[in-house]
Amino acid sequence: MFAVQSAHVQRSAGWAILAYIAVLVSASFLTNGLPALNYRPTDAAVAIDSQRYGLLWGAWLTFPASAFFLWFLVGLRRYLSNGGADQEDMSMLAFASGIVMVAMSLVAATFLVTAAHATPAVFETHALSVIFDAFFFVQGGLGY
């Protein structure tokens, strides 16, 4: 019975990574076309404002993508742990690096939502303080 359950868990982890890739590709298409680094700040704010909904959807898709990737990591850790002699270090390394990757993707999503949160008019009048306020608001919301 345990072998059947283990095979099911491993198979579901495989499906989870495929779902992660599908969600990640969708989010990448939604966030395509960010302004270049040589744009003036006001031009960058207008370009971000014109793509606001795509950027927000792309950022929020980070959450299901993170869940699918964590599901894959759990299956990968189980697979590597059952691999035989002295594989425990490899499974912990893969699991820890995946956790770091998920944490960094959530921080990146926070930055993306922050950039899409401020309107160009507010950005012109308050400059970088509005970006700080938006980042603080979004990070607090995502943290809780």
Side-chain angles (χ1 to χ4, degrees):
M1 166 132 175
F2 183 72
V4 172
Q5 183 181 6
S6 178
H8 176 68
V9 168
Q10 290 173 7
R11 197 172 310 120
S12 70
W15 284 110
I17 196 65
L18 292 176
Y20 165 74
I21 291 169
V23 171
L24 192 65
V25 167
S26 300
S28 296
F29 280 124
L30 288 170
T31 58
N32 192 13
L34 287 173
L37 293 176
N38 60 357
Y39 276 34
R40 291 187 329 206
T42 53
D43 294 339
V46 169
I48 289 172
D49 188 51
S50 68
Q51 300 175 9
R52 178 180 310 274
Y53 293 110
L55 294 175
L56 289 174
W57 273 104
W60 288 112
L61 282 175
T62 303
F63 291 105
S66 297
F68 285 129
F69 191 72
L70 288 173
W71 185 357
F72 166 71
L73 283 177
V74 170
L76 179 66
R77 185 173 189 278
R78 183 175 182 96
Y79 176 77
L80 291 175
S81 295
N82 293 335
D86 204 19
Q87 294 283 335
E88 187 65 30
D89 293 338
M90 182 61 84
S91 67
M92 282 305 291
L93 178 65
F95 193 69
S97 62
I99 296 294
V100 168
M101 184 179 141
V102 167
M104 289 176 65
S105 71
L106 292 175
V107 169
T110 303
F111 284 135
L112 188 59
V113 170
T114 299
H117 182 33
T119 63
V122 173
F123 185 74
E124 283 182 17
T125 58
H126 299 303
L128 291 178
S129 64
V130 74
I131 296 293
F132 174 76
D133 292 341
F135 178 74
F136 189 74
F137 172 74
V138 171
Q139 185 64 30
L142 291 177
Y144 293 114

